[in-house]
Amino acid sequence: MQNLTDHTPKYGKIAPILLSYIVMGFVDIVGVSTGFAQKDFNLTPTMAQLIPSMVFVWFFVLSIPVSLLQNKIGKKNVLLIGMGATALGMFTPFVSYTFPVFLLSFVLLGIGNTFIQVSSNPLLREVVSEGKYPSLLSISQFVKAISSLLGPLIVAFMVSYTGGWKNVFLAYGLISVATAAWLSKTAIQEKYKADSTSFKECFALLGDPLIACMVFTIFLIVGIDVGMNTNIQGLLGSKFGLSLEDSSLGISLYFFSLMVSRFLGAMMLSKMSHLKFLKWSSLLTVLFFVGLLFSSSLTTTLISIVLIGLASANLFPLIFALTINKRPERSNEISGLMTMAIIGGAVIPLIMGVVQKNFSVIEGFIVLALSALLISFSYKVLANQSK
């Protein structure tokens, strides 16, 4: 039944949901934080990797329960819970700046981000048509990329003007609270509602070869993104002797390329075949990883990092949107499964760490190149389903 009290304009509904992607992007501060925390707490490389693991393990543990909760209380309420947990995590380091408390902060960040990831993408589907969804999802990832890009820059600003890099968390916490307050005042009628389902019924969706393949693809895509985010510092430092602060700017360069690509992708996806866009994006990602592996100078390495960002930026929204559009009535469960696959952000970097320990930093990036190669096959799976 139509909600007669819902007078919010369409774009008035989209705006606070898009802003939630700013909060979603706060999770990428884990890249810069890992380097600074390792220095502050005198951590070994293995202990430092606990920080991203504390974030991404929750995607695996909580995604399905959150998707089932979403069927009961709605996507908007789940999104509000996520932003609340994120704010709490951001304020935690100011209680006590010790390594255990710092880990707790990232546990809360991971839990909050899981709620946000599960709810925001399908909630966005509630306010746009099927044809516009992939394009708007790229815009949402563009917004997230802005947040990710600004993270290292805000850290550099905080170090220069406040003397403490962790003050970035205070700004993030306040933004989370403000965004949640706006969304709570926005009326959104949720059309795509599923009956209450069980864990068994949710996992049964993996019996669909298309959904299973796309969930695994998300696993690899996020693994590449986090692998780049958390290892660019190490690559530039070990290969070219850059300082921690200068290497952090390499992360900003990567996120800038993601931001530009998602903005351009949003416009291109409204005019060209989504499948063709996926095909060329995935193939070019493989090509540019090969370029990174064989680059010998700082300039060519930085160019390769930018090109990888440009090529891979739209893979996540494309895979997510194309899969949701196949089964919009099961968007909650599919979103839960795909968010669970974000555990790739913990697994792939750990594999990289093992390779780097036994060989060198650059060899660790072979793991990402192989992941990109596997992603390139997703086009054929989707193309066969569309025939």
mmCIF file of all heavy atoms in Angstrom, residues 184-211:
data_model
loop_
_atom_site.group_PDB
_atom_site.id
_atom_site.type_symbol
_atom_site.label_atom_id
_atom_site.label_comp_id
_atom_site.label_asym_id
_atom_site.label_seq_id
_atom_site.Cartn_x
_atom_site.Cartn_y
_atom_site.Cartn_z
ATOM 1 N N SER A 184 17.793 9.185 8.798
ATOM 2 C CA SER A 184 16.695 8.829 9.705
ATOM 3 C C SER A 184 15.464 9.692 9.463
ATOM 4 O O SER A 184 14.328 9.280 9.744
ATOM 5 C CB SER A 184 17.150 8.966 11.160
ATOM 6 O OG SER A 184 17.379 10.326 11.510
ATOM 7 N N LYS A 185 15.652 10.899 8.929
ATOM 8 C CA LYS A 185 14.541 11.817 8.658
ATOM 9 C C LYS A 185 13.971 11.650 7.246
ATOM 10 O O LYS A 185 13.016 12.334 6.876
ATOM 11 C CB LYS A 185 15.014 13.262 8.844
ATOM 12 C CG LYS A 185 15.517 13.593 10.244
ATOM 13 C CD LYS A 185 14.408 13.501 11.271
ATOM 14 C CE LYS A 185 14.908 13.920 12.654
ATOM 15 N NZ LYS A 185 13.844 13.813 13.682
ATOM 16 N N THR A 186 14.554 10.744 6.453
ATOM 17 C CA THR A 186 14.128 10.559 5.056
ATOM 18 C C THR A 186 13.188 9.363 4.940
ATOM 19 O O THR A 186 13.531 8.249 5.343
ATOM 20 C CB THR A 186 15.357 10.339 4.152
ATOM 21 O OG1 THR A 186 16.266 11.438 4.308
ATOM 22 C CG2 THR A 186 14.941 10.230 2.687
ATOM 23 N N ALA A 187 12.010 9.586 4.382
ATOM 24 C CA ALA A 187 11.022 8.508 4.214
ATOM 25 C C ALA A 187 11.326 7.728 2.938
ATOM 26 O O ALA A 187 11.411 8.304 1.854
ATOM 27 C CB ALA A 187 9.614 9.090 4.145
ATOM 28 N N ILE A 188 11.523 6.417 3.068
ATOM 29 C CA ILE A 188 11.782 5.557 1.916
ATOM 30 C C ILE A 188 10.867 4.337 1.998
ATOM 31 O O ILE A 188 10.889 3.596 2.984
ATOM 32 C CB ILE A 188 13.257 5.095 1.885
ATOM 33 C CG1 ILE A 188 14.193 6.301 1.758
ATOM 34 C CG2 ILE A 188 13.480 4.116 0.725
ATOM 35 C CD1 ILE A 188 15.665 5.953 1.846
ATOM 36 N N GLN A 189 10.048 4.159 0.962
ATOM 37 C CA GLN A 189 9.163 2.996 0.914
ATOM 38 C C GLN A 189 9.922 1.844 0.252
ATOM 39 O O GLN A 189 10.325 1.945 -0.910
ATOM 40 C CB GLN A 189 7.893 3.309 0.127
ATOM 41 C CG GLN A 189 6.881 2.167 0.149
ATOM 42 C CD GLN A 189 5.656 2.484 -0.683
ATOM 43 O OE1 GLN A 189 5.654 3.452 -1.452
ATOM 44 N NE2 GLN A 189 4.608 1.689 -0.545
ATOM 45 N N GLU A 190 10.109 0.752 0.957
ATOM 46 C CA GLU A 190 10.857 -0.391 0.450
ATOM 47 C C GLU A 190 9.908 -1.362 -0.262
ATOM 48 O O GLU A 190 9.072 -2.009 0.359
ATOM 49 C CB GLU A 190 11.616 -1.071 1.591
ATOM 50 C CG GLU A 190 12.632 -0.133 2.242
ATOM 51 C CD GLU A 190 13.458 -0.797 3.340
ATOM 52 O OE1 GLU A 190 13.560 -2.044 3.340
ATOM 53 O OE2 GLU A 190 13.989 -0.064 4.191
ATOM 54 N N LYS A 191 10.079 -1.458 -1.581
ATOM 55 C CA LYS A 191 9.182 -2.282 -2.408
ATOM 56 C C LYS A 191 9.627 -3.726 -2.470
ATOM 57 O O LYS A 191 8.812 -4.639 -2.467
ATOM 58 C CB LYS A 191 9.131 -1.713 -3.834
ATOM 59 C CG LYS A 191 8.711 -0.255 -3.902
ATOM 60 C CD LYS A 191 8.617 0.222 -5.339
ATOM 61 C CE LYS A 191 9.982 0.306 -6.009
ATOM 62 N NZ LYS A 191 10.877 1.317 -5.405
ATOM 63 N N TYR A 192 10.951 -3.935 -2.575
ATOM 64 C CA TYR A 192 11.473 -5.292 -2.749
ATOM 65 C C TYR A 192 11.708 -5.938 -1.383
ATOM 66 O O TYR A 192 12.777 -5.854 -0.799
ATOM 67 C CB TYR A 192 12.777 -5.271 -3.560
ATOM 68 C CG TYR A 192 12.575 -4.751 -4.958
ATOM 69 C CD1 TYR A 192 13.036 -3.490 -5.317
ATOM 70 C CD2 TYR A 192 11.908 -5.514 -5.917
ATOM 71 C CE1 TYR A 192 12.851 -3.006 -6.605
ATOM 72 C CE2 TYR A 192 11.715 -5.032 -7.201
ATOM 73 C CZ TYR A 192 12.187 -3.776 -7.535
ATOM 74 O OH TYR A 192 11.998 -3.300 -8.804
ATOM 75 N N LYS A 193 10.643 -6.537 -0.878
ATOM 76 C CA LYS A 193 10.700 -7.184 0.427
ATOM 77 C C LYS A 193 10.534 -8.681 0.256
ATOM 78 O O LYS A 193 9.631 -9.140 -0.442
ATOM 79 C CB LYS A 193 9.610 -6.641 1.348
ATOM 80 C CG LYS A 193 9.790 -5.166 1.731
ATOM 81 C CD LYS A 193 8.701 -4.712 2.675
ATOM 82 C CE LYS A 193 8.906 -3.250 3.074
ATOM 83 N NZ LYS A 193 7.836 -2.777 3.995
ATOM 84 N N ALA A 194 11.402 -9.427 0.905
ATOM 85 C CA ALA A 194 11.317 -10.882 0.847
ATOM 86 C C ALA A 194 10.742 -11.410 2.153
ATOM 87 O O ALA A 194 10.839 -10.771 3.196
ATOM 88 C CB ALA A 194 12.708 -11.482 0.623
ATOM 89 N N ASP A 195 10.091 -12.567 2.062
ATOM 90 C CA ASP A 195 9.627 -13.211 3.278
ATOM 91 C C ASP A 195 10.832 -13.625 4.106
ATOM 92 O O ASP A 195 11.944 -13.764 3.596
ATOM 93 C CB ASP A 195 8.784 -14.449 2.936
ATOM 94 C CG ASP A 195 7.507 -14.075 2.189
ATOM 95 O OD1 ASP A 195 6.996 -12.967 2.436
ATOM 96 O OD2 ASP A 195 7.056 -14.889 1.358
ATOM 97 N N SER A 196 10.616 -13.813 5.396
ATOM 98 C CA SER A 196 11.713 -14.245 6.262
ATOM 99 C C SER A 196 12.293 -15.553 5.750
ATOM 100 O O SER A 196 11.563 -16.487 5.424
ATOM 101 C CB SER A 196 11.211 -14.424 7.696
ATOM 102 O OG SER A 196 10.801 -13.186 8.227
ATOM 103 N N THR A 197 13.599 -15.606 5.638
ATOM 104 C CA THR A 197 14.268 -16.796 5.134
ATOM 105 C C THR A 197 15.272 -17.289 6.168
ATOM 106 O O THR A 197 15.625 -16.576 7.105
ATOM 107 C CB THR A 197 15.010 -16.490 3.817
ATOM 108 O OG1 THR A 197 15.904 -15.386 4.034
ATOM 109 C CG2 THR A 197 14.035 -16.149 2.714
ATOM 110 N N SER A 198 15.726 -18.509 5.970
ATOM 111 C CA SER A 198 16.687 -19.121 6.884
ATOM 112 C C SER A 198 18.082 -19.062 6.277
ATOM 113 O O SER A 198 18.262 -18.727 5.104
ATOM 114 C CB SER A 198 16.295 -20.575 7.145
ATOM 115 O OG SER A 198 16.388 -21.327 5.942
ATOM 116 N N PHE A 199 19.080 -19.426 7.101
ATOM 117 C CA PHE A 199 20.442 -19.519 6.598
ATOM 118 C C PHE A 199 20.504 -20.506 5.435
ATOM 119 O O PHE A 199 21.169 -20.254 4.426
ATOM 120 C CB PHE A 199 21.385 -19.983 7.722
ATOM 121 C CG PHE A 199 21.829 -18.884 8.637
ATOM 122 C CD1 PHE A 199 21.066 -18.534 9.742
ATOM 123 C CD2 PHE A 199 22.999 -18.199 8.396
ATOM 124 C CE1 PHE A 199 21.482 -17.523 10.592
ATOM 125 C CE2 PHE A 199 23.421 -17.186 9.236
ATOM 126 C CZ PHE A 199 22.652 -16.844 10.344
ATOM 127 N N LYS A 200 19.811 -21.622 5.588
ATOM 128 C CA LYS A 200 19.841 -22.664 4.566
ATOM 129 C C LYS A 200 19.297 -22.152 3.242
ATOM 130 O O LYS A 200 19.873 -22.394 2.179
ATOM 131 C CB LYS A 200 19.038 -23.878 5.037
ATOM 132 C CG LYS A 200 19.043 -25.041 4.061
ATOM 133 C CD LYS A 200 18.256 -26.225 4.620
ATOM 134 C CE LYS A 200 18.251 -27.392 3.621
ATOM 135 N NZ LYS A 200 17.474 -28.551 4.150
ATOM 136 N N GLU A 201 18.180 -21.428 3.299
ATOM 137 C CA GLU A 201 17.573 -20.893 2.074
ATOM 138 C C GLU A 201 18.463 -19.829 1.435
ATOM 139 O O GLU A 201 18.524 -19.728 0.204
ATOM 140 C CB GLU A 201 16.192 -20.319 2.398
ATOM 141 C CG GLU A 201 15.158 -21.366 2.773
ATOM 142 C CD GLU A 201 13.878 -20.751 3.296
ATOM 143 O OE1 GLU A 201 13.960 -19.773 4.069
ATOM 144 O OE2 GLU A 201 12.794 -21.241 2.941
ATOM 145 N N CYS A 202 19.126 -19.067 2.277
ATOM 146 C CA CYS A 202 20.023 -18.028 1.751
ATOM 147 C C CYS A 202 21.214 -18.658 1.034
ATOM 148 O O CYS A 202 21.529 -18.305 -0.103
ATOM 149 C CB CYS A 202 20.492 -17.135 2.892
ATOM 150 S SG CYS A 202 21.426 -15.692 2.348
ATOM 151 N N PHE A 203 21.867 -19.621 1.679
ATOM 152 C CA PHE A 203 23.020 -20.277 1.066
ATOM 153 C C PHE A 203 22.619 -21.131 -0.131
ATOM 154 O O PHE A 203 23.446 -21.421 -0.992
ATOM 155 C CB PHE A 203 23.774 -21.123 2.092
ATOM 156 C CG PHE A 203 24.676 -20.325 2.979
ATOM 157 C CD1 PHE A 203 24.336 -20.080 4.302
ATOM 158 C CD2 PHE A 203 25.867 -19.800 2.502
ATOM 159 C CE1 PHE A 203 25.167 -19.335 5.121
ATOM 160 C CE2 PHE A 203 26.703 -19.056 3.306
ATOM 161 C CZ PHE A 203 26.353 -18.819 4.630
ATOM 162 N N ALA A 204 21.333 -21.526 -0.180
ATOM 163 C CA ALA A 204 20.856 -22.318 -1.312
ATOM 164 C C ALA A 204 20.959 -21.538 -2.620
ATOM 165 O O ALA A 204 21.038 -22.128 -3.704
ATOM 166 C CB ALA A 204 19.413 -22.773 -1.083
ATOM 167 N N LEU A 205 20.990 -20.204 -2.522
ATOM 168 C CA LEU A 205 21.135 -19.381 -3.726
ATOM 169 C C LEU A 205 22.474 -19.639 -4.416
ATOM 170 O O LEU A 205 22.616 -19.397 -5.617
ATOM 171 C CB LEU A 205 21.020 -17.893 -3.374
ATOM 172 C CG LEU A 205 19.621 -17.375 -3.002
ATOM 173 C CD1 LEU A 205 19.704 -15.946 -2.512
ATOM 174 C CD2 LEU A 205 18.680 -17.478 -4.191
ATOM 175 N N LEU A 206 23.448 -20.139 -3.653
ATOM 176 C CA LEU A 206 24.740 -20.458 -4.254
ATOM 177 C C LEU A 206 24.651 -21.673 -5.161
ATOM 178 O O LEU A 206 25.598 -21.978 -5.891
ATOM 179 C CB LEU A 206 25.790 -20.705 -3.159
ATOM 180 C CG LEU A 206 26.169 -19.482 -2.321
ATOM 181 C CD1 LEU A 206 27.107 -19.870 -1.184
ATOM 182 C CD2 LEU A 206 26.803 -18.399 -3.188
ATOM 183 N N GLY A 207 23.508 -22.358 -5.112
ATOM 184 C CA GLY A 207 23.280 -23.450 -6.053
ATOM 185 C C GLY A 207 23.054 -22.952 -7.465
ATOM 186 O O GLY A 207 23.165 -23.723 -8.431
ATOM 187 N N ASP A 208 22.753 -21.666 -7.596
ATOM 188 C CA ASP A 208 22.647 -21.026 -8.911
ATOM 189 C C ASP A 208 24.072 -20.714 -9.370
ATOM 190 O O ASP A 208 24.768 -19.914 -8.743
ATOM 191 C CB ASP A 208 21.827 -19.739 -8.788
ATOM 192 C CG ASP A 208 21.609 -19.037 -10.123
ATOM 193 O OD1 ASP A 208 22.457 -19.204 -11.028
ATOM 194 O OD2 ASP A 208 20.616 -18.316 -10.255
ATOM 195 N N PRO A 209 24.544 -21.340 -10.459
ATOM 196 C CA PRO A 209 25.931 -21.137 -10.907
ATOM 197 C C PRO A 209 26.279 -19.666 -11.131
ATOM 198 O O PRO A 209 27.415 -19.250 -10.851
ATOM 199 C CB PRO A 209 26.010 -21.936 -12.210
ATOM 200 C CG PRO A 209 24.940 -22.972 -12.081
ATOM 201 C CD PRO A 209 23.829 -22.305 -11.312
ATOM 202 N N LEU A 210 25.322 -18.900 -11.630
ATOM 203 C CA LEU A 210 25.583 -17.480 -11.871
ATOM 204 C C LEU A 210 25.889 -16.764 -10.571
ATOM 205 O O LEU A 210 26.896 -16.045 -10.457
ATOM 206 C CB LEU A 210 24.379 -16.826 -12.552
ATOM 207 C CG LEU A 210 24.459 -15.292 -12.699
ATOM 208 C CD1 LEU A 210 25.540 -14.914 -13.689
ATOM 209 C CD2 LEU A 210 23.125 -14.707 -13.114
ATOM 210 N N ILE A 211 25.032 -16.948 -9.561
ATOM 211 C CA ILE A 211 25.231 -16.262 -8.287
ATOM 212 C C ILE A 211 26.518 -16.726 -7.624
ATOM 213 O O ILE A 211 27.287 -15.921 -7.091
ATOM 214 C CB ILE A 211 24.014 -16.492 -7.362
ATOM 215 C CG1 ILE A 211 22.776 -15.792 -7.954
ATOM 216 C CG2 ILE A 211 24.295 -15.963 -5.954
ATOM 217 C CD1 ILE A 211 21.506 -16.004 -7.175
#
